[in-house]
Amino acid sequence: MNLSFFTHSDGRCSLLLAMFVCIFLLSTEVEPSDDLKHYQIQVDGLDRSYHLHYPPNFQNRAKGSTALFLFLHGGGKSSGEDVSKRIGLNALADKNGFIAVYPDGVGSQWNDGRNGHLRKGEDISRVDDVHFFSVLLDHLQKIPQVNADQTFVSGASNGGMMTLRLGCELSERFTAISAIIANLPKNILPECRPRAALPVLIMNGTEDPLVPWKGGMMKFLGNEGGEVTSTAENVAFWVASNRCALTPKHRKLDNKSVRDRSTVETFDYDQCAGKSRVLLYQINHGGHHIPGIDSPELRFLVGNKNRDIQAMEEIWKFFKEYL
C-alpha cells in the first residue's frame, strides 16, 4: 500500500487529510524479529539487502528438496522485513517446507518499468532491479537444499508490477508468478516477451483507487504514478503468451464476510500450452488491499479489504501445483 507521500522523511504528517492515517500507521510499527536472517549483496555498485525465513530443520533437508517463495513489498515506506510480519507467509513456509524470501527495493521502491511513482522526488529509473533479481537468484539457487526448478515470486502493488516485469524479462528463472493489486505497466507491454510459458495468478480489486481495474494513469491525492494496463488487458496478455483457450472456468467463492462489502470470483484459464495456466481472482468492490492480511483498513482512502480469502494461502495453493 503506497501511503508514503503522507509523511516527510522524519515521519511527520504533511497533509491534514492524512493526519489520522499517519498517527495510525506510526502506532502500529512492526517490531524487529529474530526469525529472519538478514543478508546483503552488492549489485551494480549498490548494497542490496534481503531477508530469509527458513523452514524448521532446514539444515537437515535433502539436496534439491526445497522451494523458494519470493515476496516483493509495495512501494510505500516499507521493507521486506516489515511485510514479512503481516502477510502470513512465514507460517506457510514452516508448514510446507519452503524458504520465504523478502528482498528490499532501493528506497523501498522497485523499478517496475512505469518510470513514474507516487512518491515525488525519488527517481529510481536507473536502478536495474531485473539484474538485481538475476544476481539474487544466482545466490539463492546455489544453496544445496534449494531446487532451482521450484522458484516462485509474488508481490503487491509496486511489488506486483515488478513481479510482472520479472515475468516478462526473467520468465525462464521462475516456476510461476503472482501479482496482487497490480497490472502490467503500459511502458513495458510492447517489449514484454516471456521466453518460457509461465503460470500466472492475478488478484485485483474492481474498485482499487490506486491501480485502476480499467487501466490508465495511477493517481492518488493529486499524484500521478504512471500508466498501467487494465486487468482485462493484463489477463489477456498472459492468456495469449501461454497459448490458453479463451474460455475460462468460472467460480463464485463463498461470501464468508458480509461486513467486508466485497466478494470473490475466479476465472481459471487452465487449457494452455504445456503446464502453464492463468488464474484471475476478481475481488468485487475490493480496494487496494492484500485480501485477508493484517493491515489497516483505511476504507475511505484505499477501499474495501476482502476477508473471504487469505491471499497467501490461495497463492501457495496455486504455486504448489507446480512442485
Side-chain angles (χ1 to χ4, degrees), residues 179-183 202-206 213 231 234 280-283:
I180 313 166
I181 50 179
N183 281 321
I202 296 164
M203 187 177 290
N204 285 346
T206 63
W213 175 268
T231 298
N234 190 14
L280 170 65
Y281 279 72
Q282 176 175 305
I283 315 298

Side-chain angles (χ1 to χ4, degrees), residues 194-223:
R195 290 185 287 273
L198 187 66
V200 178
L201 183 152
I202 296 164
M203 187 177 290
N204 285 346
T206 63
E207 296 181 9
D208 188 330
L210 275 77
V211 181
W213 175 268
K214 294 183 179 180
M217 181 63 68
M218 291 178 59
K219 295 181 180 180
F220 198 62
L221 295 181
N223 294 301

Side-chain angles (χ1 to χ4, degrees), residues 173-190:
R173 301 295 302 271
F174 294 100
T175 310
I177 68 173
S178 170
I180 313 166
I181 50 179
N183 281 321
L184 270 167
K186 286 228 172 166
N187 285 344
I188 69 173
L189 182 60

